[in-house]
């Protein structure tokens, strides 16, 4: 007989995070990410998956830059990494990412495609994988990447947040 005092997200039965937060950012997003993690407690129990538009030609310093603003574990994603509470996950360059079964899955970006929407792609998988436990945040950037995926998260009962256009360096995405 189940213990009536056990919560739905008891770590002994469900070690995964109670909420998984997808964060999409592009141009001007570094500053917004730094500000966000400067005020985010290190022990929320949530996992944060950061999906950025990255240049395939330059090494990202995102890990080092965010480490200045949080004590959460920061991981460069490798295929099959399990999402854990109080952790940040960074998409590597030249990759598309989804979440399935609580694990981040990577595939090579198709170089023949003129337009890639990695934030939409991730948000849609987030909505499908964790439903109402999903949170999608869109920060500074150009274009509309993230807008379709936000709709999927909302329709799944998750929470959607967009940076205000006034505070974004580039207001196209938010």
């Amino acid at each position: 007989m189940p213990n009536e005092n056990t919560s739905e997200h008891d770590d002994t039965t469900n070690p995964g995070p109670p909420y998984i937060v997808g964060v999409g950012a592009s141009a001007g997003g570094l500053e917004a990410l730094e500000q966000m993690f400067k005020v985010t407690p290190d022990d929320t129990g949530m996992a944060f998956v950061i999906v950025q538009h990255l240049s395939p030609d330059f090494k990202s310093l995102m890990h080092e830059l965010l480490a200045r603003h949080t004590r959460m574990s920061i991981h460069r994603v490798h295929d099959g990494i399990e999402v854990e509470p109080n952790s940040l996950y960074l998409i590597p360059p030249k990759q598309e990412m989804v979440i399935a079964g609580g694990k981040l899955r990577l595939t090579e970006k198709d170089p023949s495609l003129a337009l890639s929407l990695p934030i939409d792609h991730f948000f849609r998988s987030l909505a499908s994988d964790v439903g109402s436990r999903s949170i999608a945040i869109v920060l500074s950037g150009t274009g509309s990447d993230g807008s379709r995926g936000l709709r999927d998260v909302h329709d799944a009962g998750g929470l959607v947040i967009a940076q205000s256009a006034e505070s974004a360096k580039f207001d196209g995405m938010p």
Side-chain angles (χ1 to χ4, degrees):
M1 179 173 199
N3 180 346
E4 293 179 278
N5 294 325
T6 303
S7 73
E8 181 180 347
H9 299 292
D10 184 327
D11 284 348
T12 59
T13 59
N14 181 5
Y19 294 96
I20 299 176
V21 183
V23 183
S26 184
L30 173 59
E31 184 179 312
L33 285 163
E34 288 177 325
Q35 290 174 356
M36 179 178 151
F37 287 107
K38 198 179 292 186
V39 297
T40 301
D42 298 322
D43 61 351
T44 64
M46 297 186 279
F48 296 85
V49 181
I50 299 170
V51 182
Q52 285 187 281
H53 295 158
L54 298 171
S55 168
D57 303 319
F58 297 101
K59 181 181 188 278
S60 173
L61 299 175
M62 184 62 63
H63 184 284
E64 293 80 3
L65 296 171
L66 289 180
R68 298 177 187 170
H69 302 287
T70 184
R71 289 187 310 221
M72 282 188 260
S73 298
I74 302 174
H75 308 274
R76 289 185 179 97
V77 174
H78 60 81
D79 189 46
I81 190 171
E82 193 163 334
V83 177
E84 297 181 354
N86 302 317
S87 297
L88 272 73
Y89 298 88
L90 305 174
I91 189 171
K94 302 180 191 176
Q95 300 285 305
E96 293 278 338
M97 181 170 58
V98 297
I99 185 167
K103 294 181 180 181
L104 297 172
R105 308 302 308 208
L106 297 174
T107 55
E108 289 285 327
K109 273 190 185 177
D110 184 345
S112 68
L113 294 178
L115 179 63
S116 174
L117 300 172
I119 299 167
D120 276 328
H121 191 66
F122 181 76
F123 284 174
R124 286 179 164 160
S125 72
L126 181 64
S128 176
D129 197 51
V130 297
S132 64
R133 294 179 28 239
S134 59
I135 298 173
I137 299 174
V138 173
L139 300 176
S140 180
T142 59
S144 64
D145 193 10
S147 62
R148 291 163 195 84
L150 281 177
R151 217 171 278 142
D152 288 5
V153 169
H154 177 268
D155 291 347
L159 176 66
V160 299
I161 300 169
Q163 181 177 3
S164 71
E166 297 78 32
S167 70
K169 281 195 171 187
F170 297 89
D171 64 1
M173 283 173 43

